Amino acid sequence: MLWTAAGVVTLAFLIALEFAARHYGLPGPITNQAREVIFAPKSGPLLYASMALMLVVLPWRQRFIAMGAAVGIDIVFFLVRWAVDAKMMFGNGALWVIIACAVIAVTRRTGPERVLLLKGVGLGLLLVAGRKTGDAWLLITSKTRPQVLDQYVATADHALGNPSWVAGRIVEATGAVGAHVLDYVYIQLAVAAVVVALYQLRNVASEGRFPGHHLVRTFLVIGLLGPGIYMIYPVVGPIFAYGADGGHWAVANLWPNTPPSVVTPQHMPFNEVTPRNCMPSLHTAWATTIFIHSRRGPRLLRYAGVFWLIATLGATLGFGYHYGADIVAGVVFAYTIDAALRAYDRGWDRAGIQLVVYGTVVFTAFLVSYRYLPMEMARYPWLFGPLLIVGMASVVYGYMRTARLWEPKAVPAKPLEPQPELV
């Protein structure tokens, strides 16, 4: 029933976004996804990552068959596009295989096998739909929020030392190589999440069920809730509000060489094209989730989780997409949502409720401070900077402490009984 309810809610949400996008004269997430059955996909790696998520419910023989079918279909599409000189991109084969598995589940499977395969298909399609939903949300933010709050966040960011300006100069100093590496990490964040998720879901086919909590759940919930905060707190980012990419809408062309001066912030109008997708930094939240869930993996996976988090932070700041205040809020956002999902699985015990409430309070306090106390934060960075870091660290510590309480206790070994016959 939970999976059915989630499916109905997701479908209704996608339909609503489809109508909203159509209202602004653009195709919505359902139309864009349907086009990728035939036309060149926007992201081939994402479609193959989604198919890989679905394949966790199948035995190895069927996985190899599905992979071969996907590659074969993509080769055919590649040859046709090459012949007609169309846009080249792979990924259609993976989408066809996902759809085919959905048909097989309905027509050829019964009982628990059907349910498990449909769950796998739903998981794969949710990852794809999440990307399309995000695109629609970004369009809506740019059309419905003509005023942005960048001046408030930039002023508050003085408390952290204007890290975006510092990181921007560092990325410029690394040249093309550093920029390309960070850009790849930034774009392929969902693929990195799938790698960690595949490790967590490696036993689904043999056990016949999904684990209670895994990375994909947190990843999707972050993507669902985050854009709602974009609507409440619209921010475009330093490269647009204070950089050349903002054109005549920018305050001035300051990023990354000259930090903005401390003046009374105001609402500022901005164009209807640039997404208001900064507060909080969802890329930071997603990378933090990858880091959290990679901690239980093998050493290589743990190292990869650390690398992806650090590189994502470098990209979000170094490319001018986010302020330091966005990053701090994104970390708290990620830990709070992951804690809420784990607490839900455990039946909302006292420790879980306290952690989620505390994380929500800290996150709300950050946003309120950025909006109503930016001048004070800029004037007293020695006070507010440490307060922001301590607030973020306290949520992380609270999560780690509570997670240890949730870990299953080791059963002590029974003491050996004396055996007189051995004497």
Side-chain angles (χ1 to χ4, degrees):
M1 292 181 63
L2 180 61
W3 279 81
T4 302
V8 171
V9 171
T10 301
L11 180 60
F13 183 63
L14 290 174
I15 293 173
L17 285 180
E18 183 74 26
F19 278 108
R22 293 281 180 177
H23 175 73
Y24 295 109
L26 294 172
I30 298 176
T31 302
N32 285 331
Q33 192 57 65
R35 284 175 53 86
E36 293 188 353
V37 175
I38 300 297
F39 297 99
K42 184 176 181 179
S43 174
L46 180 65
L47 286 173
Y48 269 91
S50 300
M51 185 186 70
L53 274 182
M54 182 205 67
L55 294 182
V56 299
V57 304
L58 299 177
W60 279 106
R61 179 176 177 274
Q62 295 178 12
R63 292 175 188 175
F64 287 128
I65 294 173
M67 285 293 298
V71 173
I73 293 170
D74 267 326
I75 291 174
V76 173
F77 271 98
F78 183 88
L79 294 175
V80 172
R81 287 177 182 140
W82 177 73
V84 300
D85 196 25
K87 179 182 177 181
M88 304 301 291
M89 177 54 73
F90 63 94
N92 301 86
L95 184 57
W96 278 43
V97 168
I98 295 174
I99 296 173
C101 286
V103 174
I104 291 172
V106 174
T107 59
R108 303 291 297 275
R109 300 288 179 88
T110 59
E113 289 187 355
R114 171 186 289 178
V115 173
L116 188 63
L117 183 53
L118 285 176
K119 286 181 178 180
V121 171
L123 197 63
L125 289 178
L126 275 176
L127 186 62
V128 177
R131 177 67 175 268
K132 302 303 179 186
T133 299
D135 293 342
W137 262 120
L138 297 184
L139 168 68
I140 293 171
T141 62
S142 64
K143 298 294 184 182
T144 61
R145 293 296 180 267
Q147 302 279 332
V148 297
L149 303 177
D150 280 76
Q151 292 188 27
Y152 293 87
V153 181
T155 303
D157 216 39
H158 282 76
L160 295 171
N162 303 108
S164 181
W165 272 257
V166 176
R169 293 193 294 271
I170 293 175
V171 171
E172 282 188 350
T174 61
V177 175
H180 283 311
V181 171
L182 293 180
D183 184 60
Y184 181 82
V185 169
Y186 190 84
I187 293 174
Q188 301 300 339
L189 186 65
V191 178
V194 169
V195 172
V196 178
L198 289 177
Y199 175 78
Q200 292 182 319
L201 304 177
R202 64 192 183 281
N203 296 323
V204 170
S206 59
E207 295 178 356
R209 62 180 180 84
F210 281 85
H213 181 55
H214 51 84
L215 180 145
V216 181
R217 297 175 67 201
T218 308
F219 212 83
L220 293 173
V221 173
I222 287 174
L224 178 65
L225 299 180
I229 303 173
Y230 291 165
M231 302 290 287
I232 300 171
Y233 210 111
V235 181
V236 293
I239 196 172
F240 298 105
Y242 293 93
D245 288 21
H248 69 277
W249 297 95
V251 175
N253 189 2
L254 301 176
W255 188 89
N257 297 315
T258 307
S261 57
V262 179
V263 295
T264 303
Q266 298 176 350
H267 288 65
M268 55 183 288
F270 216 78
N271 60 40
E272 296 185 358
V273 178
T274 306
R276 280 65 164 152
N277 63 338
C278 277
M279 183 62 72
S281 170
L282 293 196
H283 262 78
T284 298
W286 283 320
T288 301
T289 303
I290 292 173
F291 170 79
I292 294 171
H293 286 262
S294 66
R295 294 304 85 203
R296 287 181 162 274
R299 181 178 300 176
L300 181 60
L301 194 65
R302 296 198 302 270
Y303 287 164
V306 173
F307 166 77
W308 222 269
L309 176 60
I310 295 174
T312 300
L313 294 178
T316 54
L317 292 171
F319 292 148
Y321 298 148
H322 289 280
Y323 304 91
D326 310 339
I327 303 299
V328 173
V331 172
V332 174
F333 190 64
Y335 273 95
T336 303
I337 289 180
D338 198 75
L341 291 174
R342 293 192 67 176
Y344 171 79
D345 286 333
R346 296 183 56 84
W348 289 107
D349 58 3
R350 182 178 179 181
I353 294 174
Q354 289 177 338
L355 176 59
V356 173
V357 170
Y358 179 71
T360 303
V361 169
V362 171
F363 179 75
T364 304
F366 282 178
L367 267 60
V368 171
S369 300
Y370 301 158
R371 173 63 180 83
Y372 295 104
L373 299 174
M375 292 297 291
E376 288 75 9
M377 296 177 72
R379 289 178 183 144
Y380 306 105
W382 53 268
L383 172 63
F384 285 95
L387 279 177
L388 291 176
I389 300 302
V390 169
M392 178 188 70
S394 67
V395 175
V396 176
Y397 173 76
Y399 179 94
M400 296 172 59
R401 185 170 178 268
T402 306
R404 282 196 295 267
L405 296 176
W406 287 339
E407 295 298 331
K409 300 295 187 295
V411 179
K414 288 186 177 181
L416 296 177
E417 297 181 359
Q419 301 181 21
E421 65 273 12
L422 295 181
V423 178

